[in-house]
Amino acid sequence: MRVAKKLIIFDTNTFLSTINGGRKIEAVPKKQTIFAQGDSSDAVFYIKEGKVKLTVVSKIGKEATIGILNKGDFFGEGCLTGQTLRLCSATAMTDCSVMRIEKKSMVEVLHREHAFSDMFVAYLLTRNIRYEEDLVDQLFNSSEKRLARILLLLAHFGKEGVPETVVPKISQESLAEMVGTTRSRVSFFMNRFRKLGFIDYHHGNDLQVHSSLLNIVLHD
């Protein structure tokens, strides 16, 4: 008598939480580099806890912040499209727990497991929409609105779940790079937001963002 094999149902959350062949979880202290621009591109990363900053340096040495990633975000997926070298650097903004998934393992699970590939494609499409919104924001909105939108995004307003109102320390230089304006303009608007009660500074320069900051984004 043959015994039927038990059907194993793939669980995306389990895959992203357990160590197995081609996957390992790394604790990354605050300010530590996860990978640097020009490094070999051979793995995809998934943020289990913490925040990660993506930066790029020009040939003349000017650095720009191109993204702030949070828990549940992927990065480094350029290796899946033939990118052999990292085009940017990834640095922990807070103490992080990051899963490193080797390129081969990521490709295998994307081909084999429809639940995972559907989730990953949906994530990439959502991020692509975010990039389009960033471009529209840059082209048509004032620097004050752009700064307000970035602060709200850093605090997770508009995403599923409870907003994370306290944002870890981020320099005004980094905010200026993301907004596309000068540090002095960022300083002016940050002081204005604080006077209006839209934001507050805490010990260690952590930033508390209130939902009332939406008034700046929505105001015509």
Side-chain angles (χ1 to χ4, degrees), residues 3-127:
V3 178
K5 290 184 178 180
K6 184 178 179 181
L7 179 64
I8 299 175
I9 299 175
F10 180 84
D11 184 270
T12 295
N13 291 329
T14 299
F15 177 82
L16 294 171
S17 300
T18 55
I19 301 172
N20 205 330
R23 309 195 304 274
K24 64 177 180 178
I25 298 172
E26 301 174 347
V28 185
K30 181 179 179 180
K31 295 185 179 181
Q32 180 170 307
T33 298
I34 300 169
F35 60 71
Q37 186 174 334
D39 283 354
S40 177
S41 182
D42 56 2
V44 178
F45 294 84
Y46 174 77
I47 304 173
K48 291 177 60 61
E49 295 291 342
K51 292 181 183 289
V52 172
K53 177 172 68 173
L54 302 181
T55 58
V56 63
V57 178
S58 70
K59 291 182 178 179
I60 61 174
K62 183 177 180 180
E63 182 177 278
T65 300
I66 59 174
I68 303 292
L69 305 178
N70 300 283
K71 177 181 177 180
D73 285 339
F74 291 90
F75 61 102
E77 70 280 354
C79 67
L80 302 176
T81 61
Q83 183 188 99
T84 57
L85 300 176
R86 300 293 185 190
L87 301 182
C88 65
S89 297
T91 307
M93 291 183 66
T94 64
D95 290 339
C96 293
S97 176
V98 177
M99 172 168 278
R100 183 183 189 277
I101 310 170
E102 291 181 6
K103 176 183 175 180
K104 181 181 178 181
S105 297
M106 189 71 175
V107 171
E108 286 178 352
V109 76
L110 285 171
H111 284 300
R112 186 180 70 243
E113 305 294 347
H114 294 298
F116 184 82
S117 58
D118 287 348
M119 178 277 296
F120 189 66
V121 169
Y123 169 79
L124 293 179
L125 290 173
T126 299
R127 196 171 66 183

Side-chain angles (χ1 to χ4, degrees), residues 145-159 163-164 167 209-217:
K145 279 191 177 183
R146 297 200 302 272
L147 175 60
R149 178 173 174 269
I150 285 172
L151 292 175
L152 289 166
L153 287 171
L154 289 174
H156 285 193
F157 282 99
K159 291 190 175 183
E164 187 178 332
V167 178
V209 179
H210 302 297
S211 59
S212 56
L213 185 59
L214 283 165
N215 293 329
I216 296 293
V217 177

Side-chain angles (χ1 to χ4, degrees), residues 134-169:
D134 287 347
L135 179 59
V136 171
D137 192 38
Q138 192 75 24
L139 291 172
F140 296 111
N141 289 331
S142 66
S143 54
E144 181 181 30
K145 279 191 177 183
R146 297 200 302 272
L147 175 60
R149 178 173 174 269
I150 285 172
L151 292 175
L152 289 166
L153 287 171
L154 289 174
H156 285 193
F157 282 99
K159 291 190 175 183
E160 293 182 3
V162 179
E164 187 178 332
T165 57
V166 177
V167 178
K169 181 180 179 181

